[in-house]
Amino acid sequence: MTKLSTFLLGIMGCLLYPTTAQGSSQPEKEDSVRNSVVGYLMKKKMPEAINVDLHLRSAFHAKFNSGDADTDEASFRFDHIMIGIYGNVTDKLSYKYLQRLNKGTQAFETENLSGTIDYAYLRYQLDPRFAVTAGRQALFVGGFEYNEYPINIYDYSGITNNITCYLTGVNIAYSPRSNQEIAIQVLNNRAGTMEEAFGRIPEGIERPFAPLYYSLAWNSNYSDNKVQLRYAASAGELAKGKWVFMIGGGQMVDLGKFNLFLDILYHRSAIDHLGVIRKMAINKDGTAWDGIARSVEYLTFVSEANYRFLPKWNIHLKGFYDRASVYKENGIFGKGNYLSSWGYQGGIEYFPMADKNLHLFLNATGKTYKNIQKENIINLEDQFRVSLGFVYRLPVL
């Protein structure tokens, strides 16, 4: 155990066993010390109890937008700086905390947490088959792109890129077999107020008593993980009587050096929860629309292939299709398609170290948008970007 670890545990001990108001310390009973968290941690090897990692992704990006050369730019940028703290308190109790250090720190009203915090939860393994997780966690969304570690995703597809992934609640997971997992989850469906999530709320839209997601997930694998499936479905009341429904599924074939997955994600909502259509809308005078959009649908297809052609070299190809539409006329939004886009991505990665914590990458990403003939929206511009950088997970403790 390092001096720093001992010092930190000493502080925790002072907090757990404070002195009395008169300043005299109460006698410690041997059993209470032995059963306390501090007493337990003092007996544990620190790497099992406390692990601290620093996650970095930085790159030189060259960006090009069609039709507007003034917005083209080449610069260095830190895409991610994250600190992760995780470990085991007991054989059954574990925890995880992950925070992004290069985002704003404003706390949202509903959860009283900043959007910089991805994970902040405790997990209790009741027995080999049952586990309960409570705290901020990832919403169940089927598929493989969504469940990949964020620092390894160079560009997300539509639904995954716009959904609020990390929210507070609880989930219970059950593994009837070693290759099967079924889980139910209840989370908040927004971190802040309705206005922060959906835009200006008009008359007639009332707040729900419980703005929650109710989710069900099923994950499985077969033939020694060569075939993997991830499916999930969620429903949530965004406003009184106004619901959102999501369903997603992912299928992967993993042959070791080569893997390929296909994800299909569908989102239908009485209020534009993802915000893509709402943020594209404009008023008649050309100013940005600040209200809500209703009766929206989103559909995304994502596929990616990876080939580890040498032990330290990997190439990847990725493509996705996004569609956003309004299924029922409301306000300034007529029925019909509001967005159709194709994305494509390809690159090469080099892993110089045996532990795979560090890799260098050269990646190119492009997005093309179909021009939608509607007076009340701004059509998005085609984009292309080339990035050269590194990803490093640095073990600190």
Side-chain angles (χ1 to χ4, degrees), residues 159 234-236 238 243-247 266-271 273-274 295-299 325-328:
I159 289 180
S234 298
L238 305 177
W243 286 75
V244 56
F245 301 94
M246 292 185 293
I247 186 168
Y266 175 72
H267 177 109
R268 182 182 176 96
S269 181
I271 297 176
H273 189 38
L274 299 187
S295 305
V296 299
E297 286 182 318
Y298 292 92
L299 179 65
S325 59
V326 172
Y327 62 83
K328 183 179 180 181

Side-chain angles (χ1 to χ4, degrees), residues 73-252:
E73 184 180 47
S75 62
F76 291 97
R77 174 185 173 88
F78 259 103
D79 300 319
H80 293 285
I81 304 178
M82 299 187 289
I83 187 76
I85 305 173
Y86 58 95
N88 299 308
V89 180
T90 71
D91 294 337
K92 293 186 176 182
L93 182 64
S94 61
Y95 64 92
K96 183 174 182 179
Y97 179 87
L98 182 66
Q99 182 169 4
R100 302 171 190 249
L101 304 182
N102 58 334
K103 289 180 65 177
T105 57
Q106 177 186 356
F108 290 100
E109 181 177 312
T110 299
E111 294 197 343
N112 196 31
L113 279 177
S114 165
T116 64
I117 299 173
D118 289 354
Y119 293 102
Y121 67 70
L122 292 174
R123 178 182 176 87
Y124 190 76
Q125 193 74 38
L126 296 164
D127 60 35
R129 292 187 176 184
F130 281 96
V132 179
T133 303
R136 176 164 279 193
Q137 56 195 270
L139 171 68
F140 290 163
V141 174
F144 289 87
E145 182 196 44
Y146 175 86
N147 289 283
E148 180 60 80
Y149 195 67
I151 206 168
N152 294 327
I153 299 293
Y154 303 116
D155 284 275
Y156 283 102
S157 59
I159 289 180
T160 308
N161 192 48
N162 290 283
I163 194 170
T164 301
C165 303
Y166 305 105
L167 296 156
T168 300
V170 63
N171 81 68
I172 301 174
Y174 170 61
S175 300
R177 299 178 181 177
S178 60
N179 68 328
Q180 304 275 340
E181 181 185 57
I182 301 170
I184 58 174
Q185 182 186 61
V186 180
L187 299 182
N188 293 328
N189 62 40
R190 51 180 166 82
T193 64
M194 290 181 65
E195 289 77 10
E196 289 172 324
F198 315 133
R200 176 175 48 83
I201 307 300
E203 293 184 7
I205 300 293
E206 300 179 17
R207 288 170 172 76
F209 173 72
L212 300 173
Y213 275 126
Y214 309 93
S215 304
L216 175 67
W218 175 58
N219 303 316
S220 62
N221 62 79
Y222 309 90
S223 301
D224 294 327
N225 282 322
K226 289 183 175 63
V227 177
Q228 302 175 32
L229 305 176
R230 289 181 178 174
Y231 299 122
S234 298
E237 190 176 22
L238 305 177
K240 194 171 183 179
K242 309 293 183 182
W243 286 75
V244 56
F245 301 94
M246 292 185 293
I247 186 168
Q251 301 74 215
M252 174 183 280

Side-chain angles (χ1 to χ4, degrees), residues 57-73:
R57 189 176 89 199
S58 181
F60 181 79
H61 299 289
K63 302 177 182 179
F64 307 92
N65 294 316
S66 66
D68 189 359
D70 292 338
T71 61
D72 294 347
E73 184 180 47

Side-chain angles (χ1 to χ4, degrees), residues 53 156 189 217 273 314 380 385:
D53 290 346
Y156 283 102
N189 62 40
H273 189 38
N314 181 68
L380 301 177
R385 188 185 75 243

